[in-house]
Amino acid sequence: MEPVRQVSGRMAPLDRADVDTDQIIPKQFLKRIERTGYGPFLFYDWRAEGDFVLDRPEYQGASVLLAGANFGCGSSREHAPWALRDAGFKAIIAPSFADIFRGNCFKTGLLPVTLPDGQVRHLIDLVSEEPTAAITVDLEAQEVRGDGFAYRFEIDQFARDCLLNGLDEIALVERHASDIDGYESRRVAWLPVVR
Amino acid sequence: MAKTLARKLWDTHIVRSAEGEPDLLYVDLHLIHEVTSPQAFEGLRLSGRRVRRPDLTVATMDHNVPTRGGVRAADELSRKQMEVLAENCKQEGIPLYQIGSSRQGIVHVIGPELGLTQPGLLIVCGDSHTSTHGAFGALAFGIGTSEVELVLATQCLPQKLGGNFAVTVDGELPIGVTAKDVVLGVIARTGTSGGQGHLVEYRGSTIRGLSMEGRMTICNMSIEWGAKAGMVAPDDTTFAYLEGRPHAPKGAAWEAALDDWRSLPTDDGAIFDHEMTIDARRLEPHVTWGTNPGQVVPVTGRVPSPRSETDERALRYMDLKPGVAVSDIAIDRVFIGSCTNARLEDLRAAALVIEGHKVHPKVRAMVVPGSTSVKRAAENEGLDLIFKAAGFEWRNAGCSMCLGMNPDILAPGERCASTSNRNFEGRQGSGGRTHLMSPPMAAAAAITGHLVDVREML
Ligand code: SF4
């Protein structure tokens, strides 16, 4: 995986809470067998309604998505972060994320940043008034900053290391092959096998 | 030290634990299906890896299978996705319950039926409702596709221990109030993210009194209030359900397993990070009015006034006005199905309400059994005849209109009484409107043509 150190660019505001993965990428697009090609279908139903905020000209090319609480709830589909990545987003800032979605983001190299309500509100107000406002999400410094503000964020340290160094998680786990062998040799005999 | 069930499950699965890193946990059972696995197998192939434990991995086809007899695939892309799964399973030696097989069904229904879901196991699947399996006293949660690939390759998963949450439900459930109403009642109190990342244990006399089916319904919807996993301590009800199932331990192994399983329940004095108590005697049948499962009220209630932009949007989408009595909401469709409520007990409960009645002439209603085994068992009891006589469509097993990846979908603007778990915008079809409820409540709505308190009909 490509290392992720910092994301700099413009923001796009999606001022809604409880945005679920069914909205991010509706089910009719889950029949692909690839990891790419989902970008055009991001928020498909909301865009079809017309005047969807992410389609406004001023937010084209944004790389940081601002959203409400509990972003990414619902289905575990990793297609959701894939679609966000495909559409050019590299970081998402929200007051909270659903668990599985946050994990999927890390695996996809999409940076999920949790900031308190008030700070997210400030960013949403900022970009609503000033769509070209620049922002930097600095994973190394654990800081979101722009003109006149700098907000520190907390993030899981292990996930941070993996992103900063572009570590392949499978290779990381494989380094512990002897621990896995050892565990397997201790498993009791009556545990179920599928055959 | 006194330990919770969740903590015991966690500790027994630690392969490796190191300061500053997530624990590396061992996966006892990995369930896969056609939608979230193709990219994982592709990733394995590209990196020259193989599946480490095909003997601990099992596959089914459920999300996009057609539920009308005589069709092999819903469409060309679905056919491709199923073919790819079949090919991947063949290459890696993974057993597959494919469409047409006598045991095919929704992944969270067949695991328990086969006796693969057992107490004490760590179970994962690329599907958020994996929490269902926690009903057996297993640690079970959903994962993403990259994690599916990781588990296929290593049979392990790095995880950080989440907080502990006890939900204690005591008292006898009133007539007409079901396990579904217990969990909707929990969500009504917590909202959609109140359980964020927690390992939830459902306890108390109400839970003990539930069948395995009821416990599964509750654990299933843990994800709807943000929990990572839901679980119930194993007891005699659990053991009775499992005994004799195809993959349950037999003979001496059964006795050894029982000894182990009896040691799992939370020790007296163990501490939970959060606790919530619910008085079952005061619960009513619940119905969602909005577009997330937290937007829920008792059926005797009214559509509430919006308290946020999200609520306002939900009201617009659902075409509802605040103050409207829930029982005045007319419906077009009824869906009895999904991994939440399509087991034999659910179908029995719905049939009991339906028997001797007709589906309202303006309503189109369908039953989609959770598995081919459930379908067979229901037919052996004649439940299919009751449904068909009333005017229900009787379908083959699959996820169907729970998420609408096959032709079973709502038309834009159609309103559905559904026993599934998600009422998100467009979940059951673009522009479709979903009201979540229990099987008896959905059955009652099918007869009257509007949302209705099933207790008036019992
Ligand atoms: S029935 Fe619905 S919730 Fe359950 S696995 Fe299928 S799609 Fe997911």
Side-chain angles (χ1 to χ4, degrees):
Chain A
M1 195 170 72
E2 289 282 298
V4 181
R5 293 175 185 283
Q6 66 175 43
V7 176
S8 291
R10 287 186 290 110
M11 300 172 270
L14 182 62
D15 191 5
R16 293 180 191 179
D18 295 313
V19 172
D20 58 80
T21 54
D22 273 80
Q23 305 316 317
I24 299 175
I25 181 86
K27 69 265 177 162
Q28 61 267 39
F29 308 112
L30 304 185
K31 291 179 181 174
R32 300 173 61 81
I33 50 173
E34 300 85 17
R35 279 180 205 250
T36 54
Y38 299 92
F41 312 119
L42 181 70
F43 296 116
Y44 185 84
D45 289 340
W46 284 352
R47 298 169 85 155
E49 290 170 11
D51 191 38
F52 183 55
V53 58
L54 300 188
D55 281 334
R56 292 185 197 150
E58 62 268 34
Y59 298 125
Q60 298 314 299
S63 54
V64 177
L65 182 69
L66 308 172
N70 199 28
F71 189 80
C73 59
S75 152
S76 65
R77 58 189 73 164
E78 199 164 317
H79 310 68
W82 294 338
L84 286 158
R85 281 283 307 197
D86 276 354
F89 292 106
K90 299 197 168 74
I92 311 173
I93 302 178
S96 60
F97 292 90
D99 236 33
I100 301 178
F101 178 82
R102 185 183 33 237
N104 285 341
C105 283
F106 284 128
K107 307 289 187 308
T108 314
L110 182 65
L111 197 55
V113 174
T114 310
L115 287 182
D117 268 321
Q119 294 176 358
V120 176
R121 177 57 45 204
H122 165 233
L123 297 177
I124 289 178
D125 291 346
L126 173 67
V127 74
S128 302
E129 274 163 38
E130 204 186 310
T132 56
I135 190 169
T136 294
V137 180
D138 186 335
L139 180 58
E140 217 153 9
Q142 291 181 230
E143 188 179 81
V144 172
R145 58 179 177 266
D147 203 7
F149 66 90
Y151 298 138
R152 175 159 175 94
F153 63 86
E154 295 305 323
I155 197 158
D156 179 76
Q157 287 306 305
F158 184 75
R160 175 175 171 268
D161 281 354
C162 289
L163 279 178
L164 285 175
N165 299 305
L167 296 179
D168 168 1
E169 197 167 25
I170 299 186
L172 275 181
V173 172
E174 282 174 341
R175 287 203 312 223
H176 306 304
S178 61
D179 290 324
I180 304 174
D181 292 342
Y183 185 91
E184 282 180 336
S185 68
R186 293 191 303 274
R187 290 178 85 236
V188 291
W190 51 262
L191 288 170
V193 290
V194 296
R195 286 189 278 241
Chain B
M1 199 187 78
K3 281 189 185 181
T4 61
L5 163 65
R7 192 57 201 258
K8 292 182 195 183
L9 293 171
W10 190 276
D11 288 350
T12 52
H13 289 89
I14 296 178
V15 169
R16 179 180 180 276
S17 185
E19 187 62 25
E21 289 180 32
D23 289 337
L24 190 63
L25 302 183
Y26 195 83
V27 174
D28 295 309
L29 178 65
H30 185 193
L31 306 161
I32 59 177
H33 62 80
E34 75 276 21
V35 176
T36 58
S37 70
Q39 295 86 354
F41 281 103
E42 181 65 14
L44 281 190
R45 256 189 306 277
L46 290 174
S47 60
R49 293 181 169 106
R50 298 296 302 269
V51 175
R52 181 180 176 99
R53 295 296 300 263
D55 59 329
L56 303 182
T57 312
V58 67
T60 185
M61 293 175 177
D62 53 5
H63 279 65
N64 65 25
V65 299
T67 59
R68 269 188 203 288
V71 214
R72 294 297 293 176
D75 56 57
E76 198 43 34
L77 284 169
S78 301
R79 187 187 57 77
K80 180 90 200 280
Q81 220 169 33
M82 294 196 289
E83 265 176 27
V84 168
L85 179 64
E87 185 54 36
N88 286 332
C89 288
K90 194 166 134 220
Q91 272 182 19
E92 295 292 341
I94 295 169
L96 167 67
Y97 294 93
Q98 57 187 325
I99 180 164
S101 128
S102 64
R103 287 283 194 179
Q104 172 269 343
I106 305 174
V107 63
H108 310 309
V109 178
I110 70 165
E113 276 175 2
L114 290 165
L116 283 168
T117 301
Q118 295 176 13
L121 301 187
L122 196 160
I123 301 174
V124 298
C125 172
D127 188 278
S128 57
H129 290 100
T130 308
S131 56
T132 314
H133 306 264
F136 289 78
L139 178 58
F141 51 86
I143 56 178
T145 296
S146 294
E147 290 171 317
V148 170
E149 183 180 337
L150 178 67
V151 175
L152 288 174
T154 66
Q155 204 59 27
C156 291
L157 197 63
Q159 287 287 305
K160 261 180 79 172
L161 180 61
N164 264 310
F165 201 135
V167 175
T168 304
V169 193
D170 278 315
E172 199 176 330
L173 283 172
I175 301 286
V177 181
T178 68
K180 181 70 160 278
D181 302 301
V182 172
V183 69
L184 287 174
V186 171
I187 302 169
R189 286 165 176 75
T190 63
T192 48
S193 61
Q196 202 101 55
H198 281 74
L199 306 175
V200 177
E201 182 180 338
Y202 300 96
R203 312 153 53 87
S205 64
T206 315
I207 306 293
R208 297 259 74 84
L210 289 174
S211 64
M212 290 315 295
E213 284 85 348
R215 296 176 188 185
M216 283 190 256
T217 299
I218 293 180
C219 289
N220 173 279
M221 286 192 74
S222 301
I223 185 83
E224 264 64 61
W225 56 288
K228 181 182 184 74
M231 60 194 80
V232 174
D235 59 10
D236 288 342
T237 305
T238 321
F239 311 146
Y241 177 98
L242 276 171
E243 194 168 10
R245 302 235 165 218
H247 289 276
K250 311 230 159 26
W254 174 255
E255 295 304 322
L258 278 183
D259 275 349
D260 183 68
W261 296 344
R262 290 203 167 106
S263 71
L264 290 172
T266 294
D267 299 327
D268 288 339
I271 313 251
F272 290 90
D273 301 303
H274 299 279
E275 301 209 38
M276 174 165 61
T277 55
I278 289 185
D279 182 353
R281 287 160 302 197
R282 300 180 55 179
L283 280 174
E284 295 185 80
H286 277 64
V287 175
T288 61
W289 58 267
T291 54
N292 74 51
Q295 292 168 324
V296 62
V297 288
V299 64
T300 50
R302 292 176 180 275
V303 175
S305 300
R307 282 176 305 179
S308 65
E309 211 274 321
T310 304
D311 286 354
E312 279 166 26
R313 197 184 151 80
L315 286 175
R316 275 198 306 278
Y317 183 86
M318 295 297 288
D319 191 26
L320 291 173
K321 298 259 177 303
V324 168
V326 169
S327 55
D328 283 342
I329 300 174
I331 53 151
D332 311 296
R333 303 280 297 265
V334 170
F335 172 63
I336 297 180
S338 93
C339 59
T340 311
N341 276 133
R343 298 181 179 81
L344 188 59
E345 178 181 290
D346 301 311
L347 303 193
R348 281 181 187 150
L352 207 62
V353 176
I354 294 288
E355 190 157 23
H357 294 278
K358 288 271 183 232
V359 171
H360 189 276
K362 289 207 174 111
V363 172
R364 183 175 159 205
M366 63 199 277
V367 183
V368 183
S371 71
T372 308
S373 307
V374 168
K375 182 172 193 236
R376 223 174 15 245
E379 286 171 353
N380 286 340
E381 293 183 11
L383 299 184
D384 59 324
L385 300 178
I386 296 175
F387 284 115
K388 285 193 262 190
F392 272 84
E393 296 170 32
W394 179 251
R395 297 296 191 91
N396 291 336
C399 293
S400 178
M401 211 160 74
C402 173
L403 92 166
M405 273 189 85
N406 70 3
D408 307 342
I409 53 171
L410 298 179
E414 273 189 328
R415 192 181 290 285
C416 180
S418 177
T419 67
S420 56
N421 44 52
R422 285 183 177 146
N423 51 343
F424 298 151
E425 287 182 29
R427 170 80 177 182
Q428 298 193 290
S430 268
R433 299 173 179 133
T434 302
H435 295 275
L436 302 176
M437 63 197 74
S438 72
M441 283 283 290
I447 298 165
T448 58
H450 57 86
L451 303 184
V452 62
D453 190 342
V454 67
R455 292 172 297 184
E456 294 167 10
M457 302 174 61
L458 294 174

